[in-house]
Amino acid sequence: MYTAKGQLDVNTMLKQYSPLVRRLAHQMIAKLPANVEIDDLIQVGMIGLTDALSRFDPGQGVQFETFATQRIRGAMLDELRGNDYLSRGIRKQQRSIEAAVHRLQQSLGRAPAESEIAREMGVSLVEYQELLGKVRGTQLVYLEDMAGDDGDADYLDRHVADDAMNPLAQLQDHRMRGALVEAIKHLPEREQYVMSMYYEHDMNLKEIAAVLKVTESRVCQLHSQSIARLRVKLREH
């Protein structure tokens, strides 16, 4: 992959290793808030790949893919650390919803309706639905959930970027997936449809709205509410 002058052919290398960037981005996105866009991670990863091309020294005895992987992951992690994808206020509001859902599930023995959650929170149904819109994009795992109990500065690096290399993490992920599948089965039917279309079929909110014949904002509300229910359920595992 060198030019006639003995230099790396950057354009050819970028094309060859762009699938690596996409693969690393998809590995990472699974553990991040849903409002972290995959395209943003890929774009940052391509910058990391370009940086790797400019800094790679074949004389060091390291394969380019190994070197590039470190640079790409590093660029993505730097981007995540440098942006607060979910403000503290929004996280607090999300957790207030989860607390209400948890209390009602304990008392009712079933998934509570929207109106019941709103009443439990002391707000009107309209206010509750507006709140669901504000917390849009929340995911099963928050970045702050990855902070580590003892201030482990490398926690994010090890648990977001390198799970594929960690057998224990793979086992935990397998258990989490099993618990998640089971939890989704207990969601209200419409919310099951939303989660299936969003996560299994990679449909966006606009496409889901067209299928369900509702507004895009309504799909956003259903998604946020589903996440709150699932986080409550998964804490039991």
Side-chain angles (χ1 to χ4, degrees), residues 100-110 112 116 120:
V101 169
H102 177 69
R103 291 193 298 270
L104 287 170
Q105 285 187 173
Q106 292 296 310
S107 62
L108 299 175
R110 58 171 172 79
E116 293 171 326
E120 177 69 18

Side-chain angles (χ1 to χ4, degrees), residues 109-152:
R110 58 171 172 79
E114 279 181 288
S115 58
E116 293 171 326
I117 300 172
R119 191 179 310 115
E120 177 69 18
M121 295 181 67
V123 299
S124 69
L125 179 58
V126 172
E127 290 172 326
Y128 172 65
Q129 290 176 339
E130 289 177 351
L131 181 58
L132 288 174
K134 288 180 182 179
V135 300
R136 63 175 299 171
T138 52
Q139 181 55 289
L140 293 173
V141 178
Y142 298 146
L143 288 181
E144 69 172 21
D145 290 341
M146 301 179 191
D149 294 333
D150 55 357
D152 182 357

Side-chain angles (χ1 to χ4, degrees), residues 33-35 85-98 121 127-140 142 199 205 217 219-229 231:
N35 60 324
Y85 284 98
L86 200 62
S87 72
R88 292 182 182 277
I90 295 298
R91 283 191 287 263
K92 184 177 180 180
Q93 290 174 324
Q94 173 70 11
R95 288 193 169 101
S96 69
I97 295 173
E98 293 167 18
M121 295 181 67
E127 290 172 326
Y128 172 65
Q129 290 176 339
E130 289 177 351
L131 181 58
L132 288 174
K134 288 180 182 179
V135 300
R136 63 175 299 171
T138 52
Q139 181 55 289
L140 293 173
Y142 298 146
Y199 290 104
L205 298 183
S217 62
V219 174
C220 174
Q221 292 169 1
L222 291 171
H223 177 265
S224 295
Q225 186 166 260
S226 299
I227 290 295
R229 295 187 199 274
R231 279 178 60 86

Side-chain angles (χ1 to χ4, degrees), residues 195-208:
M195 299 302 280
S196 174
M197 286 185 279
Y198 191 85
Y199 290 104
E200 293 182 35
H201 301 289
D202 294 321
M203 296 171 64
N204 59 38
L205 298 183
K206 184 176 181 179
E207 292 169 335
I208 297 172

